[in-house]
Short mmCIF file of all heavy atoms in Angstrom, two decimals:
data_model
loop_
_atom_site.label_atom_id
_atom_site.label_comp_id
_atom_site.label_asym_id
_atom_site.label_seq_id
_atom_site.Cartn_x
_atom_site.Cartn_y
_atom_site.Cartn_z
N ILE A 196 297.42 238.48 120.17
CA ILE A 196 296.27 237.73 119.70
C ILE A 196 296.16 236.39 120.42
O ILE A 196 295.11 236.02 120.93
CB ILE A 196 296.35 237.51 118.17
CG1 ILE A 196 296.28 238.86 117.44
CG2 ILE A 196 295.24 236.59 117.69
CD1 ILE A 196 296.55 238.77 115.96
N LEU A 197 297.29 235.67 120.51
CA LEU A 197 297.25 234.36 121.16
C LEU A 197 297.00 234.50 122.65
O LEU A 197 296.29 233.70 123.26
CB LEU A 197 298.55 233.62 120.89
CG LEU A 197 298.53 232.12 121.21
CD1 LEU A 197 297.29 231.45 120.65
CD2 LEU A 197 299.77 231.46 120.66
N GLY A 198 297.55 235.55 123.25
CA GLY A 198 297.29 235.80 124.67
C GLY A 198 295.81 236.05 124.91
O GLY A 198 295.23 235.57 125.89
N HIS A 199 295.18 236.78 124.00
CA HIS A 199 293.75 237.05 124.12
C HIS A 199 292.96 235.74 123.99
O HIS A 199 292.02 235.50 124.77
CB HIS A 199 293.30 238.01 123.02
CG HIS A 199 291.81 238.13 122.90
ND1 HIS A 199 291.07 239.03 123.64
CD2 HIS A 199 290.91 237.44 122.15
CE1 HIS A 199 289.79 238.89 123.34
NE2 HIS A 199 289.68 237.93 122.44
N VAL A 200 293.32 234.92 123.01
CA VAL A 200 292.61 233.65 122.81
C VAL A 200 292.73 232.78 124.06
O VAL A 200 291.76 232.18 124.52
CB VAL A 200 293.17 232.91 121.58
CG1 VAL A 200 292.58 231.50 121.48
CG2 VAL A 200 292.85 233.69 120.31
N TYR A 201 293.93 232.72 124.64
CA TYR A 201 294.17 231.92 125.85
C TYR A 201 293.27 232.41 126.99
O TYR A 201 292.59 231.63 127.65
CB TYR A 201 295.64 232.02 126.23
CG TYR A 201 296.09 231.03 127.28
CD1 TYR A 201 296.63 229.81 126.92
CD2 TYR A 201 295.99 231.32 128.63
CE1 TYR A 201 297.06 228.90 127.88
CE2 TYR A 201 296.42 230.43 129.60
CZ TYR A 201 296.95 229.22 129.21
OH TYR A 201 297.36 228.33 130.16
N GLU A 202 293.26 233.72 127.19
CA GLU A 202 292.45 234.28 128.28
C GLU A 202 290.96 234.08 128.01
O GLU A 202 290.18 233.82 128.93
CB GLU A 202 292.76 235.77 128.44
CG GLU A 202 292.01 236.39 129.61
CD GLU A 202 292.44 237.82 129.87
OE1 GLU A 202 293.50 238.23 129.34
OE2 GLU A 202 291.72 238.53 130.58
N TYR A 203 290.56 234.22 126.76
CA TYR A 203 289.16 234.02 126.41
C TYR A 203 288.72 232.59 126.74
O TYR A 203 287.66 232.37 127.33
CB TYR A 203 288.94 234.30 124.92
CG TYR A 203 287.54 233.97 124.45
CD1 TYR A 203 286.47 234.81 124.75
CD2 TYR A 203 287.28 232.81 123.73
CE1 TYR A 203 285.18 234.51 124.34
CE2 TYR A 203 286.00 232.50 123.31
CZ TYR A 203 284.96 233.36 123.62
OH TYR A 203 283.68 233.04 123.20
N PHE A 204 289.55 231.63 126.36
CA PHE A 204 289.22 230.24 126.66
C PHE A 204 289.14 230.00 128.17
O PHE A 204 288.27 229.29 128.65
CB PHE A 204 290.25 229.29 126.04
CG PHE A 204 289.91 228.87 124.63
CD1 PHE A 204 290.86 228.92 123.63
CD2 PHE A 204 288.66 228.41 124.32
CE1 PHE A 204 290.57 228.52 122.34
CE2 PHE A 204 288.34 228.01 123.02
CZ PHE A 204 289.30 228.07 122.04
N LEU A 205 290.07 230.60 128.93
CA LEU A 205 290.03 230.44 130.38
C LEU A 205 288.69 230.92 130.94
O LEU A 205 288.07 230.27 131.78
CB LEU A 205 291.17 231.22 131.04
CG LEU A 205 292.56 230.60 130.99
CD1 LEU A 205 293.58 231.55 131.60
CD2 LEU A 205 292.60 229.26 131.72
N GLY A 206 288.25 232.10 130.47
CA GLY A 206 286.98 232.65 130.94
C GLY A 206 285.81 231.77 130.57
O GLY A 206 284.90 231.53 131.38
N GLN A 207 285.78 231.29 129.33
CA GLN A 207 284.68 230.45 128.88
C GLN A 207 284.65 229.12 129.63
O GLN A 207 283.59 228.60 129.97
CB GLN A 207 284.79 230.21 127.37
CG GLN A 207 284.54 231.44 126.53
CD GLN A 207 283.14 231.99 126.74
OE1 GLN A 207 282.16 231.26 126.75
NE2 GLN A 207 283.05 233.30 126.91
N PHE A 208 285.83 228.55 129.88
CA PHE A 208 285.87 227.29 130.62
C PHE A 208 285.44 227.50 132.07
O PHE A 208 284.85 226.61 132.68
CB PHE A 208 287.26 226.67 130.55
CG PHE A 208 287.59 226.06 129.22
CD1 PHE A 208 288.73 226.41 128.53
CD2 PHE A 208 286.72 225.15 128.64
CE1 PHE A 208 289.03 225.84 127.31
CE2 PHE A 208 287.01 224.58 127.41
CZ PHE A 208 288.16 224.93 126.74
N ALA A 209 285.76 228.66 132.63
CA ALA A 209 285.32 228.95 134.00
C ALA A 209 283.80 228.97 134.05
O ALA A 209 283.18 228.45 134.99
CB ALA A 209 285.88 230.29 134.47
N LEU A 210 283.16 229.57 133.04
CA LEU A 210 281.70 229.58 132.98
C LEU A 210 281.16 228.16 132.80
O LEU A 210 280.18 227.77 133.45
CB LEU A 210 281.22 230.45 131.81
CG LEU A 210 281.38 231.96 131.99
CD1 LEU A 210 281.05 232.68 130.69
CD2 LEU A 210 280.46 232.47 133.10
N ALA A 211 281.79 227.39 131.94
CA ALA A 211 281.32 226.04 131.67
C ALA A 211 281.44 225.14 132.89
O ALA A 211 280.60 224.26 133.12
CB ALA A 211 282.12 225.43 130.49
N GLU A 212 282.47 225.36 133.69
CA GLU A 212 282.68 224.52 134.87
C GLU A 212 281.93 225.01 136.09
O GLU A 212 281.89 224.34 137.11
CB GLU A 212 284.18 224.45 135.20
CG GLU A 212 284.99 223.68 134.17
CD GLU A 212 286.41 223.45 134.63
OE1 GLU A 212 286.60 222.83 135.68
OE2 GLU A 212 287.33 223.88 133.92
N GLY A 213 281.34 226.20 135.99
CA GLY A 213 280.55 226.72 137.11
C GLY A 213 281.41 226.98 138.31
O GLY A 213 282.43 227.65 138.24
N LYS A 214 281.02 226.44 139.45
CA LYS A 214 281.71 226.73 140.71
C LYS A 214 283.18 226.36 140.67
O LYS A 214 284.04 227.10 141.16
CB LYS A 214 281.02 225.98 141.86
CG LYS A 214 281.58 226.32 143.23
CD LYS A 214 280.78 225.66 144.33
CE LYS A 214 281.32 226.05 145.70
NZ LYS A 214 280.55 225.44 146.80
N LYS A 215 283.52 225.23 140.04
CA LYS A 215 284.91 224.80 140.00
C LYS A 215 285.77 225.74 139.17
O LYS A 215 286.98 225.82 139.36
CB LYS A 215 285.01 223.38 139.43
CG LYS A 215 284.49 222.32 140.38
CD LYS A 215 284.71 220.93 139.81
CE LYS A 215 284.21 219.85 140.77
NZ LYS A 215 284.42 218.50 140.21
N GLY A 216 285.14 226.46 138.23
CA GLY A 216 285.91 227.36 137.38
C GLY A 216 286.60 228.46 138.15
O GLY A 216 287.62 228.99 137.72
N GLY A 217 286.06 228.83 139.30
CA GLY A 217 286.66 229.88 140.09
C GLY A 217 287.99 229.50 140.69
O GLY A 217 288.72 230.36 141.19
N GLN A 218 288.34 228.19 140.66
CA GLN A 218 289.61 227.76 141.21
C GLN A 218 290.78 228.26 140.37
O GLN A 218 291.89 228.37 140.86
CB GLN A 218 289.65 226.23 141.28
CG GLN A 218 288.64 225.64 142.25
CD GLN A 218 288.62 224.13 142.20
OE1 GLN A 218 289.29 223.51 141.36
NE2 GLN A 218 287.87 223.51 143.07
N PHE A 219 290.53 228.52 139.09
CA PHE A 219 291.64 228.92 138.25
C PHE A 219 291.42 230.27 137.58
O PHE A 219 292.32 230.77 136.90
CB PHE A 219 291.92 227.86 137.17
CG PHE A 219 290.80 227.67 136.18
CD1 PHE A 219 290.72 228.46 135.05
CD2 PHE A 219 289.84 226.68 136.36
CE1 PHE A 219 289.70 228.29 134.13
CE2 PHE A 219 288.83 226.49 135.45
CZ PHE A 219 288.75 227.30 134.32
N TYR A 220 290.27 230.89 137.78
CA TYR A 220 289.97 232.10 137.02
C TYR A 220 289.29 233.15 137.89
O TYR A 220 288.27 232.88 138.52
CB TYR A 220 289.07 231.76 135.83
CG TYR A 220 288.80 232.92 134.91
CD1 TYR A 220 289.75 233.33 133.99
CD2 TYR A 220 287.59 233.61 134.96
CE1 TYR A 220 289.52 234.39 133.13
CE2 TYR A 220 287.34 234.67 134.11
CZ TYR A 220 288.32 235.05 133.20
OH TYR A 220 288.07 236.10 132.35
N THR A 221 289.88 234.35 137.94
CA THR A 221 289.26 235.50 138.59
C THR A 221 288.81 236.46 137.51
O THR A 221 289.58 236.75 136.58
CB THR A 221 290.28 236.22 139.51
OG1 THR A 221 290.77 235.29 140.48
CG2 THR A 221 289.62 237.39 140.22
N PRO A 222 287.56 236.94 137.56
CA PRO A 222 287.06 237.83 136.50
C PRO A 222 288.02 238.98 136.20
O PRO A 222 288.60 239.59 137.13
CB PRO A 222 285.74 238.34 137.08
CG PRO A 222 285.27 237.22 137.97
CD PRO A 222 286.53 236.66 138.57
N LYS A 223 288.18 239.26 134.92
CA LYS A 223 289.17 240.24 134.48
C LYS A 223 288.93 241.61 135.10
O LYS A 223 289.89 242.33 135.43
CB LYS A 223 289.13 240.33 132.96
CG LYS A 223 290.13 241.30 132.36
CD LYS A 223 290.01 241.32 130.84
CE LYS A 223 290.94 242.37 130.24
NZ LYS A 223 290.80 242.41 128.76
N SER A 224 287.66 242.01 135.26
CA SER A 224 287.38 243.36 135.76
C SER A 224 287.89 243.53 137.20
O SER A 224 288.40 244.60 137.56
CB SER A 224 285.89 243.66 135.70
OG SER A 224 285.16 242.73 136.49
N ILE A 225 287.78 242.48 138.02
CA ILE A 225 288.26 242.56 139.40
C ILE A 225 289.78 242.60 139.43
O ILE A 225 290.39 243.38 140.18
CB ILE A 225 287.73 241.38 140.23
CG1 ILE A 225 286.20 241.36 140.22
CG2 ILE A 225 288.25 241.45 141.65
CD1 ILE A 225 285.60 240.18 140.93
N VAL A 226 290.39 241.76 138.61
CA VAL A 226 291.85 241.75 138.52
C VAL A 226 292.35 243.12 138.07
O VAL A 226 293.29 243.69 138.63
CB VAL A 226 292.33 240.65 137.55
CG1 VAL A 226 293.83 240.74 137.35
CG2 VAL A 226 291.95 239.28 138.07
N SER A 227 291.69 243.68 137.04
CA SER A 227 292.09 244.99 136.52
C SER A 227 291.98 246.06 137.59
O SER A 227 292.86 246.94 137.70
CB SER A 227 291.21 245.38 135.32
OG SER A 227 291.36 244.47 134.26
N LEU A 228 290.91 246.00 138.39
CA LEU A 228 290.71 247.00 139.44
C LEU A 228 291.85 246.96 140.46
O LEU A 228 292.43 248.00 140.81
CB LEU A 228 289.37 246.76 140.13
CG LEU A 228 289.07 247.65 141.35
CD1 LEU A 228 289.09 249.12 140.96
CD2 LEU A 228 287.74 247.27 141.98
N ILE A 229 292.19 245.77 140.94
CA ILE A 229 293.25 245.65 141.95
C ILE A 229 294.60 246.09 141.38
O ILE A 229 295.37 246.79 142.03
CB ILE A 229 293.30 244.22 142.50
CG1 ILE A 229 292.02 243.90 143.27
CG2 ILE A 229 294.52 244.01 143.39
CD1 ILE A 229 291.93 242.48 143.78
N VAL A 230 294.87 245.68 140.15
CA VAL A 230 296.14 246.07 139.51
C VAL A 230 296.20 247.58 139.31
O VAL A 230 297.23 248.21 139.57
CB VAL A 230 296.32 245.33 138.16
CG1 VAL A 230 297.50 245.91 137.38
CG2 VAL A 230 296.54 243.84 138.41
N GLU A 231 295.11 248.18 138.87
CA GLU A 231 295.09 249.63 138.67
C GLU A 231 295.27 250.38 139.99
O GLU A 231 295.86 251.46 140.02
CB GLU A 231 293.76 250.06 138.03
CG GLU A 231 293.63 249.71 136.56
CD GLU A 231 294.57 250.54 135.68
OE1 GLU A 231 294.95 251.64 136.08
OE2 GLU A 231 294.92 250.05 134.58
N MET A 232 294.80 249.82 141.08
CA MET A 232 294.95 250.48 142.37
C MET A 232 296.36 250.33 142.94
O MET A 232 296.92 251.28 143.49
CB MET A 232 293.90 249.95 143.36
CG MET A 232 292.48 250.34 142.96
SD MET A 232 291.20 249.73 144.09
CE MET A 232 291.42 250.83 145.51
N LEU A 233 296.96 249.15 142.78
CA LEU A 233 298.29 248.91 143.36
C LEU A 233 299.43 249.28 142.41
O LEU A 233 300.55 249.50 142.86
CB LEU A 233 298.42 247.46 143.79
CG LEU A 233 297.56 247.04 144.98
CD1 LEU A 233 297.78 245.57 145.31
CD2 LEU A 233 297.85 247.90 146.20
N GLN A 234 299.17 249.30 141.12
CA GLN A 234 300.15 249.71 140.11
C GLN A 234 301.53 249.06 140.31
O GLN A 234 302.51 249.72 140.68
CB GLN A 234 300.28 251.23 140.11
CG GLN A 234 299.00 251.95 139.75
CD GLN A 234 299.17 253.46 139.60
OE1 GLN A 234 300.06 254.06 140.20
NE2 GLN A 234 298.33 254.07 138.78
N PRO A 235 301.64 247.76 140.05
CA PRO A 235 302.92 247.05 140.26
C PRO A 235 303.93 247.34 139.16
O PRO A 235 304.16 246.53 138.26
CB PRO A 235 302.49 245.58 140.25
CG PRO A 235 301.28 245.56 139.36
CD PRO A 235 300.58 246.86 139.58
N PHE A 236 304.57 248.50 139.21
CA PHE A 236 305.54 248.90 138.20
C PHE A 236 306.86 248.16 138.31
O PHE A 236 307.52 247.87 137.33
CB PHE A 236 305.84 250.40 138.32
CG PHE A 236 304.96 251.27 137.48
CD1 PHE A 236 304.16 252.23 138.05
CD2 PHE A 236 304.92 251.12 136.10
CE1 PHE A 236 303.35 253.04 137.29
CE2 PHE A 236 304.12 251.92 135.32
CZ PHE A 236 303.33 252.89 135.91
N ARG A 237 307.27 247.87 139.54
CA ARG A 237 308.61 247.32 139.73
C ARG A 237 308.64 246.45 141.00
O ARG A 237 307.72 246.49 141.81
CB ARG A 237 309.64 248.43 139.86
CG ARG A 237 309.41 249.37 141.02
CD ARG A 237 310.38 250.54 141.00
NE ARG A 237 310.22 251.35 139.81
CZ ARG A 237 309.31 252.32 139.69
NH1 ARG A 237 308.48 252.57 140.69
NH2 ARG A 237 309.23 253.02 138.60
N GLY A 238 309.73 245.70 141.12
CA GLY A 238 309.93 244.90 142.32
C GLY A 238 309.33 243.51 142.23
O GLY A 238 309.00 243.01 141.15
N ARG A 239 309.15 242.89 143.36
CA ARG A 239 308.67 241.51 143.45
C ARG A 239 307.14 241.50 143.59
O ARG A 239 306.60 242.14 144.50
CB ARG A 239 309.33 240.80 144.64
CG ARG A 239 310.84 240.70 144.52
CD ARG A 239 311.49 240.24 145.81
NE ARG A 239 311.31 241.20 146.89
CZ ARG A 239 312.07 242.27 147.09
NH1 ARG A 239 313.11 242.49 146.29
NH2 ARG A 239 311.84 243.10 148.07
N VAL A 240 306.49 240.76 142.69
CA VAL A 240 305.03 240.64 142.69
C VAL A 240 304.68 239.20 143.04
O VAL A 240 305.20 238.26 142.44
CB VAL A 240 304.44 241.02 141.32
CG1 VAL A 240 302.93 240.87 141.33
CG2 VAL A 240 304.82 242.45 140.95
N TYR A 241 303.76 239.03 144.00
CA TYR A 241 303.50 237.70 144.56
C TYR A 241 302.00 237.44 144.65
O TYR A 241 301.22 238.33 144.99
CB TYR A 241 304.13 237.62 145.95
CG TYR A 241 303.85 236.37 146.75
CD1 TYR A 241 304.03 235.10 146.21
CD2 TYR A 241 303.42 236.46 148.08
CE1 TYR A 241 303.78 233.96 146.98
CE2 TYR A 241 303.19 235.33 148.85
CZ TYR A 241 303.36 234.08 148.29
OH TYR A 241 303.12 232.97 149.05
N ASP A 242 301.62 236.21 144.30
CA ASP A 242 300.23 235.75 144.48
C ASP A 242 300.28 234.35 145.06
O ASP A 242 300.70 233.40 144.39
CB ASP A 242 299.50 235.74 143.14
CG ASP A 242 298.03 235.33 143.26
OD1 ASP A 242 297.64 234.83 144.32
OD2 ASP A 242 297.26 235.53 142.28
N PRO A 243 299.88 234.17 146.34
CA PRO A 243 299.97 232.86 146.99
C PRO A 243 298.83 231.92 146.65
O PRO A 243 298.81 230.77 147.11
CB PRO A 243 299.93 233.23 148.47
CG PRO A 243 299.08 234.45 148.52
CD PRO A 243 299.39 235.21 147.27
N ALA A 244 297.85 232.38 145.87
CA ALA A 244 296.73 231.53 145.43
C ALA A 244 296.45 231.90 143.98
O ALA A 244 295.38 232.36 143.62
CB ALA A 244 295.50 231.78 146.31
N MET A 245 297.43 231.65 143.11
CA MET A 245 297.49 232.33 141.81
C MET A 245 296.54 231.80 140.76
O MET A 245 296.33 232.47 139.74
CB MET A 245 298.92 232.26 141.26
CG MET A 245 299.38 230.86 140.92
SD MET A 245 301.10 230.84 140.41
CE MET A 245 301.33 229.08 140.10
N GLY A 246 295.94 230.62 140.95
CA GLY A 246 295.08 230.10 139.90
C GLY A 246 295.86 230.02 138.59
O GLY A 246 296.97 229.51 138.55
#
Side-chain angles (χ1 to χ4, degrees):
I196 296 172
L197 194 47
H199 169 88
V200 171
Y201 192 93
E202 184 173 345
Y203 173 76
F204 271 132
L205 282 176
Q207 291 298 315
F208 286 127
L210 287 172
E212 291 189 59
K214 186 174 182 179
K215 289 184 179 179
Q218 295 175 354
F219 64 86
Y220 185 78
T221 302
K223 181 180 176 182
S224 60
I225 301 177
V226 174
S227 298
L228 175 59
I229 294 177
V230 170
E231 286 291 335
M232 293 180 74
L233 291 180
Q234 298 187 333
F236 269 121
R237 60 186 62 84
R239 298 169 296 276
V240 179
Y241 174 50
D242 183 347
M245 66 185 179

